[in-house]
Amino acid sequence: MKVYKITGGIILQHESKSYLLNDEWDDLINRDNLYQYLTEKAAGVKYISVENAAELIAGTLLPPISRQEVWAAGVTYLRSREARMEESADSGAADLYDKVYEAERPELFFKSLPHRVAGHNQQVYIRRDSSWNVPEPELTLFINSKGSIEGYTAGNDMSSRSIEGENALYLPQAKIYERSAALGPCLYVPEEPIPPDTTIKMSIYRNDQQVYSDETSVSRMKRSLPELAHYLFLECDFAHGCYLMTGTCLVPPNDFTLQPGDVVSIGITGIGELTNTVSYKP
Ligand code: DO4
Ligand code: MG
């Protein structure tokens, strides 16, 4: 089941039918057994035509968020550990990443308030004071206020590698700025937890030419998804639930940096594709 947030409503897609709901986002999604709740909801609503739903989604799609905080996990894949160790070699912080990869406690950091999040087909920004910028494709969990993983979306944890590499204490500046997070296109609510062979792909286009493309699977993650959710909820409450990006599994080669006009497309099995154009903040 897919839940799309659009201007003035919500579109629910279930078993090839689409439903237009006028529920409040936070109230709709912050549920135990969200799949069951939405299935029952759909049964009581008249469906709309596929064409009408497609038109509404194409025209007025918003990021699938209202009052949820966005958090992120780091160094959950070997590829991320390697990249971080390389970029921080000169600062002497390479060991930090090695240690956190092996440690019992995961790295979790605050990523974004809802108003800084870009949705599908909206712009993401790179920092003007950063010389090395990358997208980070991340399976993103929707966790309800009781700490239960109820859904998933595709996330882009836009990052400055030059700022983070200069000093690990600059992490918040490398990670948190306007439009440094993208989520979408929908909240995916499957009946069962997503399988480990779920594929994450990322392609980057410059002047209509593909300049990077790679894919991997969630099974390569060092930690389990419930383990990440558990640590996040240990001493934090989230009244409306929250989003948790689960760490990047793909990193472009070290000589690659994003430029304004680049298009980043992140595809995750079941969820769909999150596409964003890169820009500087106007
Ligand atoms: O350790 C810094 C950030 C790591 C991160 O964002 C990732 O691994 O995805
Ligand atoms: Mg990341």
Side-chain angles (χ1 to χ4, degrees):
M1 166 157 353
K2 291 181 175 177
V3 192
Y4 292 89
K5 190 169 190 247
I6 58 167
T7 310
I10 292 167
I11 301 231
L12 194 63
Q13 283 189 338
H14 183 43
E15 290 173 347
S16 72
K17 288 204 170 70
S18 298
Y19 307 85
L20 179 59
L21 308 178
N22 56 13
D23 295 58
E24 204 255 329
W25 179 261
D26 298 330
D27 183 55
L28 183 78
I29 65 164
N30 186 26
R31 301 275 165 181
D32 287 334
N33 201 343
L34 183 58
Y35 177 85
Q36 186 63 31
Y37 176 76
L38 293 176
T39 305
E40 284 164 18
K41 185 112 201 151
V45 181
K46 204 171 167 304
Y47 61 84
I48 59 172
S49 72
V50 174
E51 295 76 24
N52 191 0
E55 214 173 290
L56 286 167
I57 291 170
T60 62
L61 189 62
L62 298 172
I65 191 165
S66 175
R67 281 184 283 180
Q68 291 73 38
E69 293 177 21
V70 183
W71 285 68
V75 201
T76 49
Y77 292 84
L78 200 56
R79 180 68 189 100
S80 177
R81 185 194 74 152
E82 276 169 15
R84 254 87 208 179
M85 290 179 75
E86 283 165 19
E87 80 198 12
S88 61
D90 291 349
S91 77
D95 261 15
L96 288 182
Y97 298 99
D98 198 20
K99 284 185 178 145
V100 84
Y101 184 76
E102 299 297 341
E104 193 176 329
R105 179 189 291 275
E107 177 198 1
L108 296 179
F109 58 93
F110 177 75
K111 174 68 186 176
S112 188
L113 289 170
H115 72 270
R116 296 213 170 91
V117 175
H120 176 61
N121 281 340
Q122 295 181 333
Q123 288 184 334
V124 287
Y125 295 160
I126 48 176
R127 297 182 63 117
R128 284 193 169 78
D129 61 350
S130 164
S131 58
W132 190 11
N133 303 292
V134 289
E136 295 192 351
E138 306 195 8
L139 172 70
T140 302
L141 312 177
F142 170 68
I143 311 171
N144 74 10
S145 55
K146 292 192 184 151
S148 154
I149 300 169
E150 296 291 333
Y152 309 86
T153 190
N156 182 351
D157 171 24
M158 292 284 289
S159 301
S160 161
R161 295 189 69 183
S162 53
I163 294 177
E164 187 187 338
E166 193 178 335
N167 190 315
L169 295 180
Y170 293 157
L171 184 78
Q173 294 176 79
K175 295 283 189 180
I176 307 170
Y177 55 91
E178 296 306 323
R179 301 285 187 103
S180 68
L183 295 177
C186 62
L187 174 62
Y188 173 57
V189 184
E191 194 168 3
E192 299 293 332
I194 57 151
D197 64 355
T198 294
T199 300
I200 305 182
K201 296 181 186 175
M202 179 167 72
S203 302
I204 305 174
Y205 302 88
R206 182 167 297 161
N207 302 321
D208 295 328
Q209 303 287 317
Q210 191 174 80
V211 288
Y212 171 83
S213 187
D214 203 354
E215 66 176 73
T216 189
S217 90
V218 174
S219 61
R220 304 189 77 136
M221 194 187 291
K222 167 103 191 311
R223 300 177 187 270
S224 75
L225 303 176
E227 175 188 350
L228 297 176
H230 164 77
Y231 273 95
L232 180 58
F233 274 68
L234 274 181
E235 294 290 338
C236 278
D237 293 330
F238 299 96
H240 309 288
C242 67
Y243 280 106
L244 176 58
M245 295 179 163
T246 58
T248 192
C249 50
L250 298 173
V251 183
N254 286 353
D255 60 359
F256 179 87
T257 185
L258 286 170
Q259 293 176 8
D262 287 355
V263 176
V264 180
S265 216
I266 295 169
I268 305 186
T269 320
I271 299 171
E273 224 161 75
L274 168 68
T275 301
N276 299 98
T277 302
V278 175
S279 170
Y280 287 126
K281 182 166 81 71

